[in-house]
């Protein structure tokens, strides 16, 4: 078994690992931000489509594999329910 390296070498290793972990965390955060943006854009496009005709939400559910309830909730969530409040006035 080889002997442990000196403290300087160990500190350099720890610094390099910490830097790699920080870089990974930054990239994961960026990926999460991109994913959230893609989700919001998708549901903003789906919201007007689900209201095109009676039964459109059911047809969207068939294509996407999501339930109608999920489609409604996500569309409202990502559009801040602004369309629903406009229609009720």
């Amino acid at each position: 078994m080889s002997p442990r390296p000196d403290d300087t070498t160990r500190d350099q290793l720890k610094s390099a690992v910490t830097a790699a972990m920080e870089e990974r965390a930054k990239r994961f955060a960026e990926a999460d931000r991109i994913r959230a943006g893609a989700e919001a854009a998708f549901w903003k496009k789906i919201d007007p489509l689900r209201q095109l005709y009676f039964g459109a939400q059911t047809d969207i559910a068939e294509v996407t594999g999501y339930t109608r309830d999920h489609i409604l909730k996500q569309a409202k969530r990502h559009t801040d329910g602004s369309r629903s409040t406009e229609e009720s006035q």
Side-chain angles (χ1 to χ4, degrees):
M1 188 182 264
S2 60
R4 295 282 262 172
D6 59 24
D7 288 339
T8 304
T9 304
R10 292 180 70 209
D11 289 341
Q12 289 173 347
L13 172 75
K14 290 177 184 179
S15 294
V17 170
T18 300
M21 289 174 60
E22 289 171 356
E23 176 65 24
R24 179 180 67 173
K26 286 178 188 175
R27 293 186 71 185
F28 279 171
E30 178 67 11
D32 290 343
R33 186 189 65 74
I34 291 169
R35 184 178 179 350
E39 278 292 305
F42 173 75
W43 290 110
K44 285 178 182 176
K45 288 180 182 178
I46 292 297
D47 186 49
L49 296 175
R50 73 180 181 83
Q51 298 176 28
L52 282 177
Y53 57 86
F54 184 79
Q57 192 165 307
T58 301
D59 292 344
I60 293 169
E62 184 180 320
V63 172
T64 62
Y66 294 127
T67 64
R68 289 180 338 182
D69 185 54
H70 181 76
I71 292 166
L72 175 64
K73 287 179 180 178
Q74 292 300 312
K76 284 187 175 185
R77 176 179 167 213
H78 289 285
T79 59
D80 298 326
S82 58
R83 179 167 284 243
S84 299
T85 56
E86 289 174 7
E87 289 176 353
S88 63
Q89 292 177 344

